Amino acid sequence: MSHSIELKWELGDQKLEFGKYLTDHTVMLNENVSIDAGSSPDYGGSETNINPEQKLAAAVSSCFMMTFLALAAKMKWPVVNYKDKAISYLGKNNEGRMFVNKIQLNPEIIFSNDFKISPEEMLKMNEFFDVIVPRGGKGLVGLVQEKARVPIFAHLEGIVHIYVHSDACLLYTSDAADDT
């Protein structure tokens, strides 16, 4: 299976000089759907065009939603609404080059009125979860340690230490350290 797009950009009557040319272009998804695209407004692009960082965040958010909905349908969860505000972040790598170093998803999911799933039920879903990281008080963490059929990362109290290998890119590790 493959998926393709067509992209079209034209210089027009300008010169191709670094930082002085328009990046506006068109992305054709099929013969009926096209999207005006270009640089982020931070880099001289138009606010009315989608930029590459937004396209990447949209693709990740869309894939995450479709995966969630497939699992929810399999579990017969009564999802009635799903909304996300995905954010892509730019940073510099160790060589000083810009790249998308993080995409933050913020899904909001609405279930039908009386639907609830207990932590005990979730702990039995080893076919859907690779690992559980319980966040909360001793009662919740203890419950997870006792009942989980899924691998867990947990501790009941004390200081959490994070060790970062000297060859690791700190841009990838800082969010884990900040979240502790």
Side-chain angles (χ1 to χ4, degrees), residues 68-77 79:
F68 172 80
L69 291 176
L71 293 173
K74 199 171 192 181
M75 297 301 298
K76 297 183 177 18
W77 291 351
V79 177

Side-chain angles (χ1 to χ4, degrees), residues 72-146:
K74 199 171 192 181
M75 297 301 298
K76 297 183 177 18
W77 291 351
V79 177
V80 295
N81 187 293
Y82 184 106
K83 154 173 108 166
D84 189 14
K85 174 139 175 105
I87 305 167
S88 63
Y89 294 89
L90 290 174
K92 291 188 178 182
N93 66 14
N94 292 336
E95 297 165 357
R97 295 189 179 131
M98 296 294 290
F99 75 110
V100 174
N101 63 358
K102 175 180 172 180
I103 295 177
Q104 177 182 330
L105 302 179
N106 301 287
E108 294 178 21
I109 303 157
I110 297 174
F111 297 93
S112 66
N113 296 338
D114 58 349
F115 176 74
K116 295 202 186 315
I117 184 163
S118 70
E120 290 88 352
E121 290 174 282
M122 289 184 76
L123 296 174
K124 297 175 185 173
M125 298 179 174
N126 58 331
E127 69 271 23
F128 300 109
F129 299 106
D130 294 323
V131 66
I132 293 177
V133 182
R135 305 289 301 240
K138 285 184 182 184
L140 175 65
V141 174
L143 173 75
V144 171
Q145 288 178 320
E146 178 185 334

